[in-house]
Amino acid sequence: MCGIVGYIGTRQAQDVLISGLAKLEYRGYDSAGVAVGDGACIAVKKKAGKLANLSGELAESPLAGTLGIGHTRWATHGLPNDTNAHPHATEDGRIVIIHNGIIENYLSLKEGLIARGHTFKSETDSEVLAHLIEEAYAGDLYEAVRVALGQVRGAYGIVVTHVDHREIVAARTVSPLVMGVGEGEMFLASDVPALLAYTRNMVFLHDGDMVVLHDDGFRITDLAGQPVERPIDHIDWDAEAAEKGGFDTYMLKEIYEQPQALTNTLIGRLHDDTGEVNLDIGLDPQSFKRISIIACGTAYYAGLVGEYLIEQLARIPVEVDVASEYRYRNPIVSEQTLAVVVSQSGETIDTLEALREAKKGGAKTLGVINAKGSSMTRELDDTLYIHAGPEIGVASTKAYTSMVSAFVMLALWLGRARGTLDETQARDLLHAARELPRLVEEALAPERVEQIKRVAEKYAHARDYLFLGRGVNAPTAFEGALKLKEISYIHAEGYAAGEMKHGPIALIDANLPVVVVATESRLLEKTISNVQEVRARSGQVIALLSDGDTENARHADDVLYVPRAHEMVSPVVNAVALQLLAYFTATALGKDVDKPRNLAKSVTVE
Ligand code: F6R
């Protein structure tokens, strides 16, 4: 995450930076910092903690200047202290940078820079950028940034300024950047709301874009230095719409944020060259004999996918519990238990109490958590952050797919460490995981979304729905049913496909839509047999099929095609289609999807 603001013009830059950063604090609040100058000098001030710490100091001793860059941090590399706060400067203070993202090859770059005489002040990956730009600088700041970026691998939104130049150079790959175009002034930010008080004319930069901002204009190129044209869009959103990024609802915005959220979950953790996963946790993978996964609601379903993945790939016995049951059932826990709690908010009281219960029994504890600094993270031995960014829609979407991706990595890490996965198998899965942001982007292609909307509207007046899935996608069916019932209020059951004949089959008649997750898998034929059982009883089959599976399309009334994915990562891709099915059903019925009745985003009561 992290938020960036940049300004060049006639106003006092400090004011623009602080007001913009205040709108971006949702992107992180581990520290904040600004660099302000005028083209002949630059002063830096940065402070650990919330923006208020910095803005308080700046109110007492302001930094004067009409050019500046500012940052609010969500720490990834290095503690959230003053030194690791951005901006980062070269040793002589002449070049100052701010970075959002992760430089995946920073360690090898840093070693090289140190060997060539550079001294580092912080533990961040970002500081390498300042030194690389310094090395490449020969009087042209834009060119130096371009050459430096040619050496880095990873994600970045970067803004750079140099004491001798009245300009800001910026670039992005993966991490967002939008430019605001004013009269005799220019702006940059990670997100539109930071700039709306100043301009509504915005240029959305694309991956691989570089831009140079001057007082009276800008120039965009690609990373090869070739000029690029981008339109100036006039944004007429009101403040609330701006926070929703132009989408009608937070939920839809968050569904569309999934490629970015997944990139943030995976980035810097998967190493293709060695087939290794680096989770940056202190846990000894040999120090336990069984795993208890504990969570509530959607997070619980992510845990069920986790169970399947860990047992398959790492051959460790796993049990999964609903937290409200675990905490009262006197669970058998020992020092050889690893308790994994899963939570978006990190505050859900049942999960927090279950964590305490596991600790009482001597378990080691690991959290798969989104919210930084939340109550659970303060009590866990280790936290595997999913970095999905803030989730505001009450129905969880991007946190779910990021949690499942975190379990893919955890299972891979355990499998490698415990010798149940060889390098070839690991590389194969690692490659499949790396593909997830792209596959989810494809799953959100307009023609697919339109088809899901058509199907949702066709069945929106059904009284009940049944969702079926098998193996690693049984929890996809459970989660699909939960999404539908919580935002559309249609009664929905999620079942393991093979279990249908033991009861729910009695519900099937011509009025019952049955969603069957039947994407490519080693159990696909068995799932298709279950589809036949539904059809034999006149049920309406909505099949989720892998692209190109026209053979099985014959058995369905309606088909939702999803991009082909490795079976072990397919729950991530499949969940997206079911989120959209629930979404369009609810909107067809006129429901308030962001605030479904009776629900709360963070459940801190029993
Ligand atoms: C459903 C949903 C809830 C949460 C559950 C746990 O869409 O969001 O079921 O998953 O309340 O919340 P966290 O993950 O914050 O512990």
Side-chain angles (χ1 to χ4, degrees), residues 77-99:
H77 294 61
L79 293 171
N81 56 25
D82 287 357
T83 313
N84 289 331
H86 295 223
H88 293 289
T90 47
E91 286 136 275
D92 61 7
R94 298 179 71 75
I95 296 174
V96 182
I97 69 111
I98 270 173
H99 167 231

Side-chain angles (χ1 to χ4, degrees), residues 27 46 48 65 90 156 171 180 206 249 302 393 407 447 451 455 478 582:
R27 300 182 64 84
K46 50 191 194 171
T90 47
Y156 53 80
H206 294 205
T249 59
F407 274 115
E447 61 283 4
Q451 166 66 358
V455 171
F478 309 157

Side-chain angles (χ1 to χ4, degrees), residues 296-299 343-345 348 394-396 403 482-483 486 603:
C296 301
T298 285
S343 178
Q344 187 287 126
S345 62
T348 304
V394 165
S396 185
M403 285 166 182
L482 177 65
K483 277 300 81 93
E486 68 182 325
V603 186

